[in-house]
Amino acid sequence: MKIAIYSRKSKFTGKGESTQNQIEMCKEYAKKHFANIEDFLIYEDEGFSGGNTDRPEYRRMIKDARNGKFDVLMCYRLDRISRNIADFSDTIEILQDNNIAFVSVREQFDTSTPMGRAMMYIASVFAQLERETIAERIRDNMLQLARSGRWLGGRTPLGYKSEPIEYYDADMNKRKMYKLSAIPEELKLVKILYKKFLEFGTLTKLESWTLENNIKTRSNNYFDRKSLKLILTNPVYLIADELAYEYFKSLKSDIACSKNDFDGIHGLMVFNKHQEKKSKIIRKDEEEWIIAVGKHEGIIESKDWIQVQNLIKENSKKAPRSGTGQYGLITPLLKCSCGSKMRVSINKKSYGTYYYYKCLMKERSRGSRCNVKNLNGKATDELIINELKKMAKSDSELMKNLERRRNNISNLKSEAYCKKKELEKELAEKEKAIRNLTIQLSQNESSTAAKYIIEQIENLDKEIKKIKDKLYSINEKEEINLIEKNNLDMIKDLLKHFANTVDDLNFEEKKKFLRQIVNEIVWDGKKLEINIIGQDR
């Protein structure tokens, strides 16, 4: 019987339930409750949170479980495996699928019985409930602090920096809070952006203006419509006056102060504005916002700020759909050499429909940042298909290169096989040496000789660990090479199949095939470069 022991600790420290202590307690428990233990497999993650499974030794342990390398998985406590119910359930399911028992020393759960499984899941539910309750309490405290108008941290908006200020609480204890402090040059730019937006009326025109005038963000990147919209919809710049109060009252926002606090001088702070949903940050409805008057001064008149919001909302309703339909076969794959994507643009004439590909940066900057030539859409699509047909021929440079790489992988496999045999032989010899030394140790009564034998065993044990690490590394590389070999075969097959069937495929089928074969297509104004997925560049 082989027993795997998994230990985890969030921080590197020698205190408390260290990973080594967890391992030793698991070993003691195993020796008392299990017979015929052949080996212990140790998986040790120190400095990793239990909130997710993105841990190197955990991943290795799961991989070994799927390969049937152990019969029992032990841990000191349930939350060492995971603090997340879904992740924990997935782990148990994997173990059950591979007939591996699970034991938690602290809770003494045994998955071989229905009651043991039920109790284990109940314990994991309460562990997550405790974690979520703590998180909820922290959020509530943060929202209560937000009502004071202080800056609670995070990335500061353009035009402001975070500045600490000291104050005394009701018990005359000295405290520290943070407020937003003005950066005059940046605020000057913010005022210009608001003014120009009201002049142009659209984010697209404002974006083009910033590109033409080489105006960049704080991090020295070009502005795009998304970054401009964030600035133009941020109430931090709004001067908190009576009109601002009535505006947010009409939106049914949670206003965390009285009407009198809207003094016509300070700006606003908004909390509970965003939430994470399916790994994306989305903006909440204004009804859920918490509005407080900040400790910084506002810079945009309320009538202008509200006019900007109305314009942005009106424009979003008017925004047309792309309507590209059956045009632009390579749109998702085509990029300009400047790094920007290229989009399909359609012109409908009395004699028919004409379409072409145009660099987005060229369009956004009105030619000031990139002026690469447009591409004839129909001719380019046909050219790409014909080039892929040529690449699919067995005597093409691409096919020769793929076959070369495939042969190299086969050669590496032969070399790895020989190396593995050498290491396995060396491993067997050292393990045999340890067994012999163990026999000598049991028969020797001399303490001096025993000390010498123990040192030899410890040295051999270290050498065995190094050999096992090398074998594990070789196995990992072999798996990676096998995946690459399969990918190369798949690309070859896809190319050949595409070449043979493309003339009979519809538009969507062609597009789907291209996404499976092509990584990207780059246009530099003179030639197109097609980069195949898995191609050795």
Side-chain angles (χ1 to χ4, degrees):
M1 175 182 287
K2 291 184 179 179
I3 296 179
I5 296 173
Y6 181 77
S7 63
R8 179 189 65 79
K9 194 164 187 183
S10 299
K11 294 180 181 180
F12 291 101
T13 172
K15 298 177 180 179
E17 296 163 1
S18 70
T19 53
Q20 196 55 47
N21 287 344
Q22 292 173 40
I23 291 165
E24 291 305 318
M25 285 185 277
C26 286
K27 281 185 177 180
E28 286 177 21
Y29 184 90
K31 287 170 184 175
K32 289 178 183 177
H33 294 82
F34 293 93
N36 304 320
I37 300 171
E38 297 173 34
D39 194 13
F40 286 107
L41 283 71
I42 308 301
Y43 304 91
E44 189 176 355
D45 278 318
E46 190 161 4
F48 290 92
S49 167
N52 59 61
T53 56
D54 188 17
R55 293 167 256 150
E57 284 294 280
Y58 172 86
R59 291 199 300 269
R60 186 166 76 90
M61 180 262 291
I62 290 296
K63 184 178 177 183
D64 287 351
R66 288 191 169 115
N67 292 329
K69 291 190 177 181
F70 52 86
D71 307 292
V72 179
L73 173 63
M74 293 186 69
C75 66
Y76 174 64
R77 268 196 346 235
L78 282 178
D79 63 2
R80 299 304 87 194
I81 297 292
S82 179
R83 292 183 179 275
N84 180 285
I85 293 172
D87 291 338
F88 183 81
S89 299
D90 288 343
T91 304
I92 298 302
E93 190 174 337
I94 291 166
L95 296 176
Q96 289 175 346
D97 289 344
N98 291 277
N99 297 316
I100 296 170
F102 173 74
V103 174
S104 172
V105 174
R106 179 82 172 267
E107 293 88 358
Q108 295 196 6
F109 290 132
D110 182 352
T111 59
S112 62
T113 66
M115 183 58 72
R117 284 194 294 273
M119 289 302 295
M120 181 179 58
Y121 281 117
I122 290 167
S124 66
V125 167
F126 277 106
Q128 181 162 342
L129 178 63
E130 181 187 10
R131 182 165 161 258
E132 290 178 352
T133 302
I134 291 168
E136 189 67 36
R137 199 180 303 133
I138 291 169
R139 281 195 294 272
D140 289 343
N141 288 340
M142 289 289 280
L143 293 177
Q144 192 60 39
L145 287 170
R147 294 175 185 274
S148 67
R150 69 181 71 191
W151 177 250
L152 298 182
R155 189 175 180 181
T156 54
L158 183 68
Y160 297 101
K161 61 184 177 182
S162 177
E163 179 186 319
I165 53 174
E166 293 182 342
Y167 70 102
Y168 290 91
D169 62 16
D171 298 320
M172 294 307 292
N173 294 316
K174 199 173 187 180
R175 302 288 186 188
K176 184 187 282 188
M177 70 166 68
Y178 289 85
K179 72 164 191 171
L180 291 178
S181 179
I183 303 173
E185 283 303 310
E186 289 186 3
L187 285 179
K188 185 179 177 183
L189 172 58
V190 172
K191 287 180 180 178
I192 293 170
L193 291 175
Y194 271 84
K195 181 182 176 184
K196 286 293 178 183
F197 178 77
L198 289 171
E199 181 184 325
F200 298 135
T202 69
L203 287 167
T204 301
K205 289 180 181 178
L206 180 62
E207 178 192 40
S208 297
W209 178 82
T210 60
L211 289 165
E212 287 170 12
N213 290 277
N214 199 31
I215 296 170
K216 296 186 178 182
T217 66
R218 180 187 284 173
S219 52
N220 204 35
N221 296 319
Y222 288 112
F223 280 102
D224 57 20
R225 279 173 291 185
K226 185 179 178 181
S227 57
L228 289 168
K229 187 177 178 179
L230 283 172
I231 293 169
L232 295 173
T233 56
N234 195 338
V236 75
Y237 306 112
L238 167 62
I239 296 173
D241 58 12
E242 187 177 346
L243 183 58
Y245 177 85
E246 295 299 336
Y247 175 78
F248 282 107
K249 188 179 178 183
S250 69
L251 294 175
K252 299 180 180 178
S253 301
D254 180 359
I255 302 174
C257 46
S258 71
K259 189 174 182 178
N260 292 333
D261 292 318
F262 284 68
D263 56 8
I265 298 170
H266 292 92
L268 290 179
M269 303 291 286
V270 179
F271 307 95
N272 203 36
K273 190 178 179 182
H274 298 97
Q275 69 176 7
E276 188 174 343
K277 196 171 185 180
K278 293 182 180 179
S279 301
K280 288 184 178 179
I281 303 298
I282 61 169
R283 178 178 163 126
K284 292 184 177 182
D285 292 335
E286 285 92 340
E287 287 185 18
E288 298 184 62
W289 292 7
I290 296 175
I291 308 291
V293 176
K295 298 187 178 300
H296 65 285
E297 291 187 6
I299 60 165
I300 305 297
E301 294 288 340
S302 56
K303 62 178 180 62
D304 293 334
W305 192 88
I306 294 168
Q307 187 181 349
V308 166
Q309 309 316 301
N310 293 337
L311 263 175
I312 289 173
K313 287 177 183 177
E314 189 179 332
N315 290 343
S316 67
K317 292 176 185 176
K318 292 179 183 176
R321 295 180 65 185
S322 58
T324 54
Q326 298 292 301
Y327 303 100
L329 186 65
I330 59 173
T331 306
L333 305 168
L334 187 59
K335 291 182 181 177
C336 176
S337 56
C338 75
S340 181
K341 291 181 180 179
M342 295 186 73
R343 75 172 184 88
V344 65
S345 186
I346 302 168
N347 284 333
K348 292 187 177 180
K349 305 289 184 181
S350 56
Y351 52 81
T353 302
Y354 167 81
Y355 68 98
Y356 60 94
Y357 295 108
K358 186 175 184 179
C359 172
L360 273 173
M361 178 56 77
K362 174 183 177 180
E363 186 175 47
R364 287 165 53 204
S365 67
R366 297 174 187 172
S368 63
R369 297 286 151 217
C370 179
N371 203 24
V372 72
K373 286 195 297 185
N374 296 341
L375 277 167
N376 179 302
K378 185 179 179 183
T380 302
D381 290 349
E382 289 175 357
L383 173 67
I384 295 300
I385 288 172
N386 289 331
E387 284 298 312
L388 289 172
K389 284 180 178 179
K390 290 177 187 176
M391 288 179 179
K393 292 179 179 178
S394 56
D395 60 348
S396 72
E397 278 304 312
L398 174 66
M399 283 298 190
K400 288 177 182 177
N401 182 36
L402 293 176
E403 188 60 31
R404 251 191 323 267
R405 289 174 63 194
R406 194 179 184 281
N407 291 336
N408 288 339
I409 290 169
S410 297
N411 293 335
L412 288 170
K413 185 179 179 181
S414 299
E415 292 173 15
Y417 177 79
C418 295
K419 185 65 177 174
K420 271 177 72 174
K421 286 298 177 185
E422 289 176 16
L423 289 169
E424 285 169 356
K425 183 181 177 182
E426 189 180 350
L427 179 63
E429 288 172 354
K430 292 189 184 298
E431 286 177 340
K432 184 179 178 182
I434 284 183
R435 285 196 295 273
N436 292 335
L437 286 168
T438 305
I439 293 168
Q440 289 180 38
L441 184 63
S442 64
Q443 296 172 348
N444 204 306
E445 296 179 1
S446 169
S447 59
T448 306
K451 183 180 178 183
Y452 174 73
I453 292 169
I454 290 168
E455 284 179 3
Q456 282 186 296
I457 291 172
E458 288 176 347
N459 290 333
L460 283 168
D461 191 56
K462 287 176 184 176
E463 290 172 14
I464 285 172
K465 188 178 183 305
K466 287 178 182 177
I467 293 170
K468 285 183 176 178
D469 287 343
K470 287 177 183 178
L471 283 169
Y472 180 78
S473 179
I474 289 172
N475 289 332
E476 286 275 281
K477 286 176 183 176
E478 279 187 329
E479 288 184 21
I480 291 166
N481 287 336
L482 180 62
I483 291 167
E484 187 179 356
K485 188 177 179 180
N486 290 338
N487 286 341
L488 293 172
D489 289 338
M490 184 183 68
I491 292 296
K492 288 169 68 177
D493 292 342
L494 280 171
L495 270 169
K496 288 175 183 177
H497 187 58
F498 179 77
N500 293 332
T501 61
V502 64
D503 295 332
D504 299 321
L505 300 175
N506 63 36
F507 181 82
E508 286 303 323
E509 288 169 339
K510 288 177 184 177
K511 218 169 184 181
K512 184 179 178 180
F513 244 121
L514 285 171
R515 285 198 297 269
Q516 291 176 321
I517 299 168
V518 180
N519 185 39
E520 66 175 12
I521 302 166
V522 182
W523 169 241
D524 65 2
K526 294 180 181 178
K527 67 179 186 301
L528 284 162
E529 181 184 348
I530 306 172
N531 297 319
I532 301 296
I533 291 171
Q535 183 177 351
D536 191 14
R537 298 176 63 190

